[in-house]
Amino acid sequence: MQRVCEEGEDEKLCSFSNVRTLLASRLLEGVPVTYIFKKHKAELHGFIKGDGYRCGCSVCDYKQVVSADEFEKHAGVTSSHANNHIYLANGKSLHEVVKDLIGVPLESVHEELKAIVEMDPNIYDASKDESAQASGCEVKHISHEEQQTRVDAMPSQMLSSKFLSEPRLCNDMEASNDCQTNSSLHDDCESVSCEADSTPINGVKQNGTDGITRQEVSTMFIHQLPLNLSIVQKTTQEEPALSTPPRNEKNRPYQESDQPSPRNKNVLDPCSLSQNMVTEFSPEVPKHQKIETEFLKKNLDVRSLLRTGLLSGRKVKYMKDQAELDGLIHDEGYLCGCLSCNYKKVVSALKFEIHAGAVSKNQNNYIYLENGISICALVKKLNNAPKDSLRELIEKEIPCPDKDPLSNQNGSFQTASIAQSKNSEENQLTQTIEIQIDPHLVEELSDSTSEGCKSAPSSINVMFDSPLPHIEGNSSYTDVNISPLESAKVNISPGSNIALHGQKSSVLETRYENRKRPMPSPICSISGLTPSSNMLESDIRPVHRMVESQGSTKKRTGDLHKIIFNILQDGAMLFYCTSSKTILEGQKMGNGILCSHCDEVVSPSTFEAHAGFDKRRQPYRNIYTSSGSSLHDLTRYLSKNQTSACMICGGREELVSCIRCAKAFHPGHRWNHCTKSEVSHVPT
DNA sequence: TCATTGAGCAAAAGGGAAAC
DNA sequence: GTTTCCCTTTTGCTCAATGA
């Protein structure tokens, strides 16, 4: 329900639905922020930069732009909501700013934001001073009237966000004679500069301590809001003026509205109601039974599932990277098996994770039941399953353990990143993973394990004797660590390769022949070894996916999105194409695409969905610019060599380049903050 | 054989409600 | 009012399947 307001639509309402859209508007570009977590006495200064924050920690030194979470981590704290702790100089968190702007008429957004940002600037005076000191800067406090005078004296074009990138403004950092920090800010040509040439800003002389402070810069920038306005609007027809759109409605894919989603298919079928559900609205009905009943009508969440008590007593294991911790489901929490708790203390999922020594955004993604399915995955599976008795479904998914869980705490545990097979027939198969292994290592393994191993073949078949779930992860390989002297303990991780690490330090690789082959359960044996020697304690834990060609851990960064939406100009035509046909047109707008289908600004993913290919999940490969380059290609070009392709359309011929920022573009597509005198022809 | 399409995953990020 | 917790959505990626 968002789109960029157009000129002349002042009567409409505008709002930022979240911090991301607020930052994407660039209205707060360059504004100083402070991460504050009082409880942990954490404080870190920075500046808003693009969709992130220019971090002022000792390592980043304002040279690096990081996400909110990273900014928080650099402050030495981990919370679940970083933007709740990132404050403007007036003491308002960004989250609060967004809230304050909800429902504000477009025509008032500038004033409202200005008021918010300027409100009570003394609240965080100490922070400001410390911020300045941290960057070796002297903060000069000036009156609001003085600020206004200076700002009013500026030409409008100098007050745009791009103005801040021009190397003509000196600020407090220059005054401190320490330009190191400032020069780093200038590195990408979009930050406050600190060059010796302190060109006056429309009459405001910038020299020494008379220069404009960072705070003033921010203030001046806010005064410029209308010139840089890219407001996300909420249309009045679809949303109440003063209400936040329901999250699930936001950016709702087109097809979801046109056809029922798998979840929506799970509507109440009166015929499916069992007799004992008739009392569902009776106040005497126990809580868990109510939840069970409601499950027939709507989907569960993790909390509801635990509340049913149907999983109470089930063994769970937290597994993420190297962190592991056993536990038991108890009530709505987990009976923690750490040394400290020793199954005597019920903790929340978050605490359970902390006790395991890990950190994640969704703890239940990493808390696995005995069958190897995570709590989250189980909830999804239950919600997607044909509606039936919740109890029966759970029993079907996770058969009751034979033994009292507490009596078998040290027993084997099925793998992380393993989900149950969607095909029950496949579950009944006993699978074999054939590991092509060096015969010499086999001999060595055999020698070190048992007599029976001496006849081991040149391949070792790892047999898995329990029902086999599918691989949940997309890894085609798995890591197997065999330590022959430790009873050939096998660790299988859903990583990229099966690697046997014998004590002789041989590393062998193999891969599943078929990716869809079910992932083995960890209770396994090695065929070719005698039964007495082959029952192995297995221990499966997730590992980072490895890229074979690079041999390094690949980690999603989100850089592609940032690059492409930072460099494309608003209004640039984009096309969703498939099979050389244009399916849908749109225009780049802010941090999204103005979709011609719905006339709203949507994410690339949603744009893809509007084109009818929501399941493809390849937006960047199928959204093209007017030059015929896909966004994926374009970002690749840009990330490799920024001067090899036009920053605006991705074209590669007849380019000119900016001598200052090194960005390239067609003469007609000049990067909006590069002046004519700064561009030169790029030899092809 | 190669390009395209389909499917699935992990990680990152943010929203909202509950708990403190 | 602040912090925690749980959940959903988005994005970038890989691999399998399919078809020319």
Side-chain angles (χ1 to χ4, degrees):
Chain A
M1 305 308 154
Q2 299 172 351
R3 68 184 181 88
V4 169
C5 292
E6 296 171 5
E7 289 181 13
E9 288 188 337
D10 287 0
E11 73 281 6
K12 303 283 184 64
L13 287 170
C14 284
S15 74
F16 300 101
S17 59
N18 53 42
V19 174
R20 195 194 299 203
T21 56
L22 175 61
L23 297 187
S25 75
R26 301 295 187 268
L27 294 178
L28 295 177
E29 187 81 2
V31 169
V33 293
T34 307
Y35 182 93
I36 298 172
F37 202 148
K38 293 173 183 173
K39 182 181 172 183
H40 297 284
K41 297 180 180 176
E43 191 168 324
L44 177 62
H45 304 289
F47 292 94
I48 293 174
K49 170 69 177 70
D51 297 330
Y53 305 90
R54 204 176 272 285
C55 177
C57 74
S58 57
V59 176
C60 297
D61 193 25
Y62 298 101
K63 292 174 185 172
Q64 205 163 339
V65 178
V66 299
S67 65
D69 273 11
E70 283 295 313
F71 191 47
E72 180 180 69
K73 283 179 187 171
H74 290 199
V77 183
T78 301
S79 77
S80 303
H81 208 165
N83 281 319
N84 275 353
H85 303 276
I86 298 175
Y87 294 89
L88 298 175
N90 65 355
K92 280 231 169 197
S93 73
L94 292 177
H95 194 65
E96 292 172 307
V97 172
V98 170
K99 281 183 179 176
D100 289 347
L101 289 175
I102 290 174
V104 174
L106 172 62
E107 60 197 10
S108 308
V109 164
H110 166 218
E111 288 301 320
E112 186 71 22
L113 189 53
K114 181 179 161 187
I116 289 170
V117 173
E118 289 190 334
M119 186 185 65
D120 199 0
N122 293 321
I123 289 178
Y124 277 96
D125 263 359
S127 304
K128 284 188 289 184
D129 290 345
E130 287 168 18
S131 172
Q133 288 159 13
S135 56
C137 306
E138 178 186 344
V139 174
K140 181 172 179 271
H141 297 285
I142 60 173
S143 67
H144 179 76
E145 291 72 20
E146 193 177 349
Q147 288 180 16
Q148 189 64 54
T149 304
R150 294 184 184 188
V151 171
D152 290 345
M154 294 182 181
S156 60
Q157 66 271 22
M158 294 181 72
L159 286 167
S160 71
S161 62
K162 300 304 176 194
F163 162 70
L164 293 175
S165 70
E166 297 294 333
R168 51 172 83 102
L169 175 65
C170 279
N171 61 5
D172 52 322
M173 286 183 281
E174 180 184 12
S176 71
N177 294 325
D178 180 4
C179 289
Q180 186 179 0
T181 302
N182 207 14
S183 60
S184 68
L185 291 174
H186 180 229
D187 58 2
D188 66 353
C189 204
E190 292 187 16
S191 306
V192 178
S193 176
C194 179
E195 293 187 355
D197 175 21
S198 56
T199 308
I201 303 173
N202 203 31
V204 180
K205 180 68 179 173
Q206 311 297 316
N207 55 353
T209 54
D210 288 333
I212 300 174
T213 66
R214 185 185 299 166
Q215 188 64 30
E216 292 174 63
V217 170
S218 304
T219 307
M220 288 186 288
F221 177 66
I222 295 304
H223 278 273
Q224 178 50 25
L225 294 177
L227 300 174
N228 194 32
L229 203 55
S230 177
I231 304 294
V232 179
Q233 182 195 5
K234 189 162 57 186
T235 57
T236 52
Q237 295 95 330
E238 292 169 351
E239 298 288 339
L242 295 174
S243 68
T244 307
R247 179 177 169 73
N248 289 341
E249 292 295 310
K250 188 182 52 183
N251 295 330
R252 176 173 50 82
Y254 165 66
Q255 288 177 325
E256 285 183 16
S257 63
D258 294 342
Q259 43 189 286
S261 68
R263 286 178 145 209
N264 293 338
K265 289 172 185 170
N266 296 330
V267 294
L268 175 65
D269 176 5
C271 300
S272 67
L273 282 170
S274 56
Q275 289 295 326
N276 62 347
M277 298 305 176
V278 174
T279 60
E280 63 179 290
F281 297 112
S282 163
E284 287 78 21
V285 176
K287 194 178 179 181
H288 72 270
Q289 193 175 337
K290 270 190 176 180
I291 295 169
E292 283 189 66
T293 306
E294 288 170 4
F295 169 66
L296 295 174
K297 295 180 177 179
K298 62 181 185 182
N299 290 322
L300 279 176
D301 55 22
V302 172
R303 191 183 295 183
S304 304
L305 177 61
L306 295 183
R307 269 183 201 153
T308 64
L310 296 174
L311 292 176
S312 276
R314 303 275 186 163
K315 281 198 297 182
V316 292
K317 188 166 193 170
Y318 184 94
M319 291 183 284
K320 182 170 186 282
D321 298 333
Q322 304 300 313
E324 293 179 5
L325 180 59
D326 289 314
L328 294 169
I329 295 175
H330 188 80
D331 293 335
E332 295 176 29
Y334 301 94
L335 209 49
C336 178
C338 73
L339 287 175
S340 172
C341 299
N342 194 27
Y343 295 97
K344 290 174 183 171
K345 193 174 177 182
V346 178
V347 298
S348 67
L350 180 67
K351 291 276 167 53
F352 191 48
E353 179 181 68
I354 291 171
H355 289 198
V359 174
S360 75
K361 287 281 180 182
N362 188 355
Q363 298 76 34
N364 287 313
N365 269 347
Y366 304 96
I367 297 174
Y368 295 89
L369 290 154
E370 291 172 89
N371 65 342
I373 191 171
S374 73
I375 299 286
C376 263
L378 174 64
V379 168
K380 281 183 185 174
K381 199 172 177 68
L382 292 173
N383 287 332
N384 289 329
K387 294 297 181 188
D388 203 341
S389 161
L390 180 58
R391 191 181 299 273
E392 287 174 14
L393 271 176
I394 290 175
E395 188 60 35
K396 185 178 170 186
E397 294 296 331
I398 322 159
C400 274
D402 296 333
K403 300 175 183 176
D404 174 19
L406 277 170
S407 68
N408 189 28
Q409 286 166 13
N410 296 324
S412 61
F413 202 94
Q414 289 200 12
T415 174
S417 291
I418 294 179
Q420 284 197 320
S421 169
K422 291 174 183 174
N423 186 338
S424 59
E425 290 179 4
E426 290 177 4
N427 278 347
Q428 306 308 316
L429 299 175
T430 295
Q431 289 290 338
T432 298
I433 294 179
E434 187 169 293
I435 303 172
Q436 301 301 323
I437 191 169
D438 184 333
H440 297 98
L441 177 60
V442 172
E443 280 186 27
E444 291 162 7
L445 287 170
S446 303
D447 290 341
S448 61
T449 51
S450 72
E451 291 289 320
C453 296
K454 288 179 180 175
S455 61
S458 59
S459 69
I460 294 178
N461 293 322
V462 184
M463 307 294 293
F464 301 90
D465 57 22
S466 62
L468 295 165
H470 268 305
I471 299 173
E472 189 178 58
N474 64 345
S475 304
S476 303
Y477 307 84
T478 214
D479 286 342
V480 179
N481 305 317
I482 293 183
S483 306
L485 295 182
E486 295 176 14
S487 303
K489 178 178 177 178
V490 175
N491 295 326
I492 303 175
S493 306
S496 296
N497 298 293
I498 290 180
L500 299 184
H501 306 278
Q503 209 189 15
K504 306 286 183 179
S505 71
S506 295
V507 177
L508 305 168
E509 293 186 356
T510 185
R511 58 179 296 175
Y512 293 125
E513 291 176 12
N514 185 340
R515 183 170 172 265
K516 294 212 168 176
R517 170 178 285 180
M519 180 70 177
S521 89
I523 302 175
C524 59
S525 63
I526 297 181
S527 65
L529 305 182
T530 60
S532 60
S533 67
N534 61 15
M535 287 313 294
L536 314 170
E537 178 191 354
S538 67
D539 182 13
I540 301 185
R541 58 182 182 272
V543 296
H544 289 299
R545 282 189 291 173
M546 304 297 286
V547 177
E548 282 181 295
S549 58
Q550 297 172 352
S552 60
T553 302
K554 196 171 189 75
K555 202 174 179 182
R556 179 179 173 254
T557 63
D559 288 345
L560 283 176
H561 184 82
K562 288 180 181 175
I563 290 173
I564 202 70
F565 282 91
N566 277 335
I567 66 102
L568 280 176
Q569 274 188 336
D570 282 354
M573 289 303 297
L574 296 173
F575 308 89
Y576 192 93
C577 301
T578 180
S579 303
S580 303
K581 293 178 183 174
T582 300
I583 308 296
L584 185 61
E585 289 184 10
Q587 287 177 283
K588 187 264 177 182
M589 202 64 69
N591 214 25
I593 300 169
L594 181 58
C595 173
S596 62
H597 171 265
C598 59
D599 199 30
E600 292 173 2
V601 175
V602 298
S603 70
S605 290
T606 309
F607 187 65
E608 182 175 54
H610 288 196
F613 291 87
D614 58 329
K615 289 188 176 179
R616 180 178 285 174
R617 293 176 188 169
Q618 302 271 16
Y620 284 72
R621 290 188 186 179
N622 298 289
I623 297 173
Y624 291 82
T625 65
S626 55
S627 69
S629 304
S630 71
L631 297 185
H632 192 263
D633 292 340
L634 184 53
T635 50
R636 292 289 169 128
Y637 291 146
L638 295 172
S639 60
K640 286 180 182 174
N641 183 1
Q642 293 207 333
T643 61
S644 65
C646 175
M647 300 293 294
I648 308 304
C649 69
R652 310 188 78 176
E653 294 176 351
E654 299 295 327
L655 299 175
V656 294
S657 153
C658 174
I659 58 174
R660 183 160 54 85
C661 67
K663 287 169 179 170
F665 32 78
H666 288 118
H669 293 165
R670 182 153 51 87
W671 194 232
N672 38 6
H673 67 268
C674 302
T675 63
K676 266 189 177 178
S677 61
E678 291 169 334
V679 300
S680 62
H681 181 70
V682 175
T684 54

